[in-house]
Amino acid sequence: MSAVTQFVDLSGYAFTGKHAVIDLMREVEGYHVPHFEFEFGLLRMQGGLHDLRHALCDDWSPIRSDAAIRRFKRLVRRLGARNSLRHPGSLFEAVGWNYDDYYAGRFFALSETYLGELVRASWRAPWPYALAELNGPELFARKVLGKLGWKRAMEFELYLSRPSRFDEVTRDYLAAILSSNVAPQTTTVVMHNAFEPYAPARSLRFFTRAKAIVVDRDPRDNFVQGRWYKPFATGVDDFIARYRMQREATDYTPHADVLRLRFEDLVLDYDRSVPRIFEHLGEPASRHVRPRQHFNPEQSKKNLGLWRTYEHQEEIARIAAALPEFCDARL
């Protein structure tokens, strides 16, 4: 039986220093920490658990609940499948996250059991609303088959679902998935970007015991660090607009299970920041068995004040003028 009793999510706003906390977690006894590039997207992605809960519990209708189940099933297939030339169909399904492989071949089976607990009944019937979800080729094919007289051309699998125990069932589902590939002595599973940094408390309902740590950073270094990354790299004006928009969209209401931390504090004030993190996690200092083996603040100081050597200092000045409340005076 798994010894996991807690889940911890680490998130940020892209290039804001979350990797430093990931490395710190690797130094703690009993912590399972995935590779820094591996993210668990099943909650926050479109069609994921937040959208599913909204459609099944908060804003129910036959159309929305049915569509939400269908979208979630599709997301499970996309995240779980592996691209394989031996299985050409996978090339039209898999997005390369390989969850079923990663989670010990249990992701699909656990997801099927989970959906079985949410769906009261299903049957095939004509359902025009589902046509809006089809890609162009499939929509065209169904139209042609309908014109040719195939009576089932406009039929879809319909799902009746309005569960009263959604959160409880979802907690069991997530705990089973996230614990499926950990060592027996693991007590805490760390996740990367499973929660949104804007309102991480919304995701806590899906876990019996969970903590969130959100890392932020000086916008000048954030701009310089991320300027090569295509989904993130824009001109300085767009960067300023996005940076402010993301922080204005953030719920900063204090929450006992959410810790907001600045990358600069972790590096420059290591001796106070690390105990603060462990206190938040409910861990004694004795569990920190490999201090500075993965996260060394002296090494990370090289990633502070990057903006000082950036060639376009006029852009840095514009960021400082537009976002003064986020700029760290120590830099």
Side-chain angles (χ1 to χ4, degrees), residues 156-330:
F156 295 85
E157 190 76 14
L158 305 186
Y159 302 97
L160 180 64
S161 177
R162 192 170 182 267
S164 60
R165 298 172 54 251
F166 182 89
D167 290 352
E168 181 181 345
V169 171
T170 302
R171 289 185 200 113
D172 293 342
Y173 168 57
L174 289 174
I177 289 175
L178 293 165
S179 303
S180 63
N181 64 344
V182 304
Q185 68 273 21
T186 300
T187 59
T188 298
V189 172
V190 175
M191 305 172 289
H192 306 328
N193 294 328
F195 302 175
E196 293 279 16
Y198 316 105
R202 290 178 57 237
S203 297
L204 295 170
R205 63 168 60 122
F206 295 138
F207 298 87
T208 301
R209 185 181 177 209
K211 301 286 186 177
I213 299 176
V214 183
V215 186
D216 209 346
R217 187 179 194 176
D218 186 298
R220 297 166 295 180
D221 277 348
N222 190 208
F223 175 71
V224 174
Q225 186 78 47
R227 70 188 188 279
W228 60 271
Y229 182 60
K230 293 299 183 184
F232 183 75
T234 57
V236 65
D237 291 330
D238 290 337
F239 169 82
I240 290 169
R242 183 177 63 248
Y243 191 100
R244 182 167 292 283
M245 185 182 299
Q246 289 179 329
R247 275 66 182 178
E248 288 178 348
T250 294
D251 181 2
Y252 289 104
T253 304
H255 192 288
D257 294 322
V258 177
L259 174 64
R260 294 190 177 275
L261 181 73
R262 292 192 63 84
F263 174 66
E264 293 83 8
D265 288 336
L266 185 57
V267 175
L268 296 175
D269 199 2
Y270 177 91
D271 290 336
R272 283 201 295 182
S273 295
V274 171
R276 183 182 172 210
I277 291 172
F278 290 141
E279 180 181 4
H280 173 68
L281 298 177
E283 300 290 3
S286 59
R287 297 290 294 276
H288 191 193
V289 294
R290 294 177 290 275
R292 299 177 186 258
Q293 289 188 20
H294 294 276
F295 172 63
N296 186 332
E298 295 304 315
Q299 295 264 344
S300 291
K301 284 181 180 178
K302 295 184 294 185
N303 293 317
L304 296 179
L306 299 174
W307 58 269
R308 293 187 176 279
T309 57
Y310 181 59
E311 58 183 329
H312 300 294
Q313 284 295 306
E314 71 282 1
E315 296 180 347
I316 300 300
R318 285 160 68 183
I319 293 171
L323 303 168
E325 68 271 38
F326 300 108
C327 294
D328 195 312
R330 295 171 294 182

